[in-house]
Amino acid sequence: MTGPEQKRLLSEAYRHMPQGVAENYRYWGEERTIFIASAKGCELTDCDGKTYVDFRLGYGPIILGYRDARVDAAVIEQITQGGTLSGFSTPLDIKVVQQVKALCPNIEKMRFANSGTEAVMGAVRTARGFTKRKQIAIVEGAFHGLYDEMMWKSDIESWDPAGTEEPRVIPFGAGIPDQSRNLLTIIQLNNFEQLDRLFREKGDDLAAIVLEPIIGNAGSIAATPKWLRYLRDLCTQHGTMLIIDEVKTGFRAAPGGAQQIYGIHADLTTYAKAMGNGYPVAAFGGRGDVMDSVGAFKGGVVHGGTYTANLVALSAASATLNILASTDAWTTIDEAGAKIRDTLGRVFTAAGIQHCFAGPPAMFGIHFSEFVPMNYRDWRMTDSDLYTRFAWQLIEHGVMLEPDSREPWFICEAHQSVDLGWLEDVATKAMREAKS
Ligand SMILES: Cc1ncc(COP(=O)(O)O)c(C=O)c1O
């Protein structure tokens, strides 16, 4: 329940923005829509003065901590000395690409974008331009941004797992034309048969498969190394571009992202979120020959935009990547995540709740089930209602997270200071309340 000031703000906001919010997913209902006054480290303070330890981290971008002084100083220096943008190239363009390449050997050439959505659009267009093919495929349960073609999903919520019907494929909402689905196929994670069928039926016209090997929008459920290797090999055989969407996993799951964990390289990769510790920066890149199809020459793939490689974004990215590459920040994040996960595990065990964790410590999913889900349909079998009740109770007790087990717990460097005894205590209370 939010306090009186946030209720007042929401009633005022209704007059100015649809549902009173600047973005659909921020509306949590009349009693629960949160307005934040300030953020620092791993803490948020709402407009009624309540403080939360935050594991949502703005859906993942915060990798060091809110208002990280090192990153903010670099941005302030850039904008006061050099400006924000000029519509021309700068030396920082090259420097940031070099920094990304030093962490991610899958990148030979890269271009910038302003959001994960834009990075995915750029990668898909590049794949189509390079292969001269049209069809693309994605994995059930994944999310690749807010543009029409990617806004189709299997309706798992109203699907009957005990029945024989497949889930319906539906648009995320209104305004998405049916035609935008014509070139899209949705396959299930870790399903070998569906991969074989996809390549058999569409192989010659399949420009790209876009996937997150660790699904950041389905509780970090992950591809098996064997399945991902099989997919990689099929893509290579068929000349299909493997696009790994590292918008959530990039610079987070490991310094070199999910691709470092699997030891498998994509043809094209997208980055955003952790790349700039909360400043809006994104990128797509990969094989040099594929990326060289982008350009202002006849037949080249179009890429650009007024704010591309703006210097607020690039100075933040440069500082963030420098910290991740040259300090032990990432080890700290990994260790903090493992301790937080273990603390929660103890709480669930003590409460007699069957549970399992998915994904790496820096973005782990919690599933109330005996086995780690192998795909999105398995997720439907988990006790996600219990998770949601537990999450709402945690929020009441000052732990911020998304009340949906499809969103992982995000860890940043500043979480090293979390009082684990306090967390165990409030999680124990929250679980007791959720169960009752
Ligand atoms: C895997 C993935 N790709 C793309 C996007 C879209 O990124 P953005 O919200 O920055 O447009 C998201 C957003 O959460 C994401 O998780």
Side-chain angles (χ1 to χ4, degrees):
M1 294 282 237
T2 52
E5 177 59 8
Q6 291 172 91
K7 295 226 168 55
R8 188 194 68 73
L9 285 166
L10 183 59
S11 61
E12 176 66 19
Y14 280 139
R15 299 174 51 224
H16 311 293
M17 289 173 282
Q19 277 196 309
V21 285
E23 197 254 17
N24 277 14
Y25 303 105
R26 292 177 201 170
Y27 183 71
W28 282 8
E30 194 69 32
E31 301 291 325
R32 287 167 160 164
T33 296
I34 290 176
F35 285 78
I36 292 299
S38 67
K40 178 70 189 160
C42 62
E43 291 190 352
L44 294 175
T45 303
D46 72 23
C47 290
D48 287 285
K50 178 171 171 179
T51 295
Y52 304 85
V53 173
D54 184 20
F55 293 101
R56 188 168 167 271
L57 300 182
Y59 293 119
I62 307 299
I63 188 75
L64 300 171
Y66 289 109
R67 270 163 59 205
D68 183 274
R70 300 160 293 183
V71 179
D72 290 353
V75 174
I76 290 164
E77 188 184 338
Q78 170 58 48
I79 63 180
T80 50
Q81 311 287 313
T84 58
L85 59 78
S86 62
F88 287 108
S89 295
T90 72
L92 202 48
D93 305 351
I94 306 163
K95 183 177 175 196
V96 177
V97 181
Q98 286 171 331
Q99 288 178 282
V100 171
K101 287 172 70 171
L103 290 169
C104 308
N106 47 303
I107 300 295
E108 288 172 4
K109 290 195 175 176
M110 201 180 90
R111 282 282 180 96
F112 292 99
N114 299 296
S115 67
T117 301
E118 243 189 58
V120 172
M121 290 171 81
V124 170
R125 187 181 299 146
T126 302
R128 284 178 166 144
F130 178 76
T131 59
K132 314 230 174 324
R133 300 173 182 178
K134 296 190 194 71
Q135 297 281 338
I136 60 165
I138 58 172
V139 166
E140 197 168 76
F143 175 74
H144 298 291
L146 289 129
Y147 77 100
D148 292 353
E149 189 171 30
M150 288 296 176
M151 300 239 75
W152 290 90
K153 62 177 180 182
S154 294
D155 188 8
I156 290 292
E157 276 95 348
S158 30
W159 170 65
D160 174 10
T164 51
E165 300 278 301
E166 288 286 291
R168 281 180 325 133
V169 174
I170 56 165
F172 275 61
I176 297 165
D178 291 347
Q179 290 85 339
S180 65
R181 206 206 137 181
N182 290 351
L183 301 172
L184 181 74
T185 306
I186 302 180
I187 57 165
Q188 283 179 58
L189 188 73
N190 291 325
N191 186 316
F192 285 88
E193 244 170 63
Q194 287 195 357
L195 265 190
D196 284 337
R197 191 176 337 128
L198 174 73
F199 278 94
R200 207 169 45 243
E201 290 174 2
K202 305 245 163 91
D204 291 346
D205 196 28
L206 195 58
I209 295 195
V210 186
L211 92 158
E212 301 175 83
I214 301 166
I215 307 186
N217 298 280
S220 286
I221 62 182
T224 62
K226 202 169 157 202
W227 188 81
L228 193 62
R229 168 53 58 201
Y230 192 64
L231 168 58
R232 173 64 276 179
D233 291 346
L234 281 174
C235 285
T236 306
Q237 278 163 31
H238 289 264
T240 295
M241 297 294 101
L242 175 60
I243 301 178
I244 296 194
D245 181 351
E246 300 245 26
V247 163
K248 273 190 168 162
T249 49
F251 313 108
R252 172 175 283 288
Q259 293 173 64
Q260 179 182 328
I261 294 176
Y262 283 89
I264 288 175
H265 287 178
D267 299 298
L268 292 170
T269 303
T270 55
Y271 298 110
K273 304 212 185 220
M275 186 178 175
N277 195 46
Y279 286 89
V281 60
F284 67 97
R287 274 170 47 186
D289 58 333
V290 180
M291 285 303 288
D292 279 337
S293 58
V294 177
F297 47 84
K298 190 161 182 291
V301 172
V302 179
H303 166 254
T306 306
Y307 296 107
T308 305
N310 73 78
L311 297 165
V312 174
L314 291 203
S315 53
S318 183
T320 305
L321 296 173
N322 182 38
I323 294 163
L324 290 175
S326 64
T327 70
D328 56 5
W330 197 80
T331 310
T332 306
I333 295 163
D334 209 40
E335 286 173 4
K339 282 186 196 153
I340 289 161
R341 200 184 51 187
D342 293 350
T343 302
L344 294 166
R346 273 199 303 280
V347 171
F348 304 146
T349 303
I353 305 290
Q354 260 187 352
H355 64 277
C356 48
F357 296 101
M363 51 175 285
F364 62 86
I366 297 174
H367 302 285
F368 293 145
S369 59
E370 191 180 351
F371 302 109
V372 179
M374 290 296 286
N375 60 39
Y376 193 36
R377 295 184 194 189
D378 287 352
W379 169 83
R380 177 73 156 65
M381 316 297 212
T382 67
D383 194 348
S384 59
D385 289 343
L386 175 63
Y387 181 91
T388 297
R389 292 199 303 278
F390 171 63
W392 282 123
Q393 294 303 331
L394 275 181
I395 293 169
E396 281 297 309
H397 289 294
V399 176
M400 184 54 74
L401 71 168
E402 192 75 7
D404 185 327
S405 68
R406 283 169 289 194
E407 192 67 16
W409 285 51
F410 288 107
I411 308 298
C412 67
E413 190 187 20
H415 278 122
Q416 65 185 303
S417 64
V418 169
D419 178 345
L420 296 172
W422 167 83
L423 181 64
E424 189 158 349
D425 190 36
V426 293
T428 302
K429 281 188 201 140
M431 183 48 86
R432 197 179 308 129
E433 290 152 357
K435 277 170 74 182
S436 68

